[in-house]
DNA sequence: ATTGACATGTGACACGATGTCATATATGAT
DNA sequence: ATCATATATGACATCGTGTCACATGTCAAT
């Protein structure tokens, strides 16, 4: 988390710095990114950077988190739209994400994140699901899911269902970028796999 | 890949260096590991290191690959043992992996790898499945899988089935370490999710 | 308007890591 | 014994990080 000093900064200066950070993280993945470049682009002295953030990772995850915020809202919206059908909601969400691509810089940032995912990055990215199992947000999601459709005995299994969906959805996401699939291919694969998930991998 | 020079080295010296590398990668994740430490532990001059490997990543992936080799054979064995039931084979494989833990150093190495997985690391680790879609090994696996049990129309879908299983298995694996689950919990979760995969997330 | 306490800005610096290269040494065939 | 080729070595240039002593700004109290 950024330090208070950063949050006290005038809007403009803050955005300027975040933009410079995104530029650097779009250029190269986290561990190759250099603070020297960020401060150069932002036109601030090196010392100031450390006034605002602990280190490189601190800006990185702050940025990632900021860019995920509205995705979370969008997901809730999709879940309502599909009357709690979680797989339909996820599929639609995925589709829309691919179609209305963010600007190039943000896209490169996402690519770099996906191809170098750590567990921490995956969690930040997929925080629309798990983040924190007792959070307000998670509660709302679980409430919205139509359990009637699901092949479960107890509520406890919802957790496993979401885990499975996250795992498969995320892997599709990563594959799309690592194997440079077209949107069409990516969505086809995604749909096939989601159907297999729905109906089971084994014959009944 | 290591350079020829490295492969020409006497067995003992090679093992010594690999052991030193593993020690460093067990201590910290890839991007924090330092070549300085490796050469110090191995007792070789810095220049020699670059005689043998391109860079840090080069040793890292070589090590990872070496340690995965016999896991691949073991997986084939499991698949035969379970008459081509891929989910039973994977579950058994997972169980055995957890139970007969490798030595502490290798375990720490694996932990660091799992908690900082990049797409490349995941692929190296899970090469018992996909590695290269046209490899000899993949062919054998596909041949061994009992397609009769699977809910598929064409062979093409086998690929998706394995993708799904990899995704879910791998995530369970990462969770086991990141959330420090006991072996018992880990295997319980794994089994529940594999059953959900078999029978489908949705009611029929 | 002056003071002082506190917050923020600044960049030189100590430290450590990387990859290279000129030079030294070993090896093995003729 | 000679020479070509392969290997060994460690000093070095370069770059990146995080810190710290010092400079500057802010603002409430007098």
């Amino acid at each position: 988390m950024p330090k208070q000093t950063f949050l006290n900064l005038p809007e403009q200066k803050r955005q300027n710095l975040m933009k410079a950070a995104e530029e650097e993280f779009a250029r190269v993945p986290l561990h190759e990114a250099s603070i020297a470049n960020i401060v150069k682009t932002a036109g601030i002295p090196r010392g100031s950077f450390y006034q605002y953030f602990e280190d490189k990772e601190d800006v990185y995850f702050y940025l990632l988190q900021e860019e995920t915020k509205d995705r979370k809202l969008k997901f809730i919206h999709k879940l309502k739209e599909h009357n709690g059908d979680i797989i339909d909601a996820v599929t639609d969400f995925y589709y829309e994400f691919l179609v209305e691509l963010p600007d190039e810089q943000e896209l490169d940032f996402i690519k770099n994140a996906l191809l170098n995912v750590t567990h921490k990055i995956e969690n930040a990215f997929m925080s629309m699901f798990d983040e924190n199992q007792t959070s307000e947000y998670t509660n709302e999601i679980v409430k919205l899911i139509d359990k009637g459709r699901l092949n479960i005995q107890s509520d406890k299994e919802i957790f496993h269902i979401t885990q499975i969906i996250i795992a498969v959805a995320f892997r599709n996401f990563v594959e799309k970028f690592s194997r440079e699939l077209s949107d069409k291919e990516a969505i086809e694969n995604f749909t096939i796999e989601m159907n297999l998930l729905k109906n089971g991998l084994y014959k009944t």
Side-chain angles (χ1 to χ4, degrees), chain A residues 98-99 101 176 181-188:
Chain A
L98 292 188
V99 170
L101 288 168
K176 145 91 180 153
L181 304 179
S182 70
D183 288 2
K184 188 160 167 284
E185 285 172 297
I187 288 168
E188 266 174 30

Side-chain angles (χ1 to χ4, degrees), chain A residues 55-163:
Chain A
D55 51 26
K56 224 182 0 182
E57 300 220 337
D58 200 12
V59 223
Y60 186 81
F61 285 102
Y62 180 62
L63 186 58
L64 197 58
Q65 190 189 303
E66 285 300 300
E67 294 191 358
T68 308
K69 265 186 186 166
D70 65 319
R71 279 204 280 278
K72 290 172 75 166
L73 296 178
K74 212 173 251 171
F75 183 67
I76 289 203
H77 184 248
K78 285 287 171 217
L79 205 46
K80 284 178 183 161
E81 212 173 296
H82 290 276
N83 302 311
D85 187 317
I86 184 171
I87 288 191
D88 282 5
V90 168
T91 306
D92 189 356
F93 182 81
Y94 184 63
Y95 177 80
E96 211 171 288
F97 186 88
L98 292 188
V99 170
E100 49 174 65
L101 288 168
D103 63 286
E104 200 188 342
Q105 180 163 304
E106 190 179 343
L107 186 63
D108 284 339
F109 171 63
I110 291 173
K111 273 188 206 169
N112 277 331
L114 289 180
L115 296 182
N116 298 275
V117 207
T118 64
H119 180 249
K120 211 174 156 192
I121 292 179
E122 179 171 351
N123 274 352
F125 210 88
M126 286 281 138
S127 68
M128 62 218 48
F129 280 95
D130 48 7
E131 190 182 28
N132 172 351
Q133 268 186 247
T134 58
S135 76
E136 196 46 50
Y137 176 79
T138 304
N139 268 340
E140 187 168 357
I141 292 288
V142 170
K143 225 187 303 165
L144 283 173
I145 293 175
D146 176 4
K147 284 138 214 129
R149 300 176 206 260
L150 299 179
N151 183 19
I152 55 175
Q153 265 74 51
S154 75
D155 258 31
K156 199 195 113 203
E157 282 170 283
I158 293 184
F159 169 70
H160 292 288
I161 301 253
T162 58
Q163 288 293 95

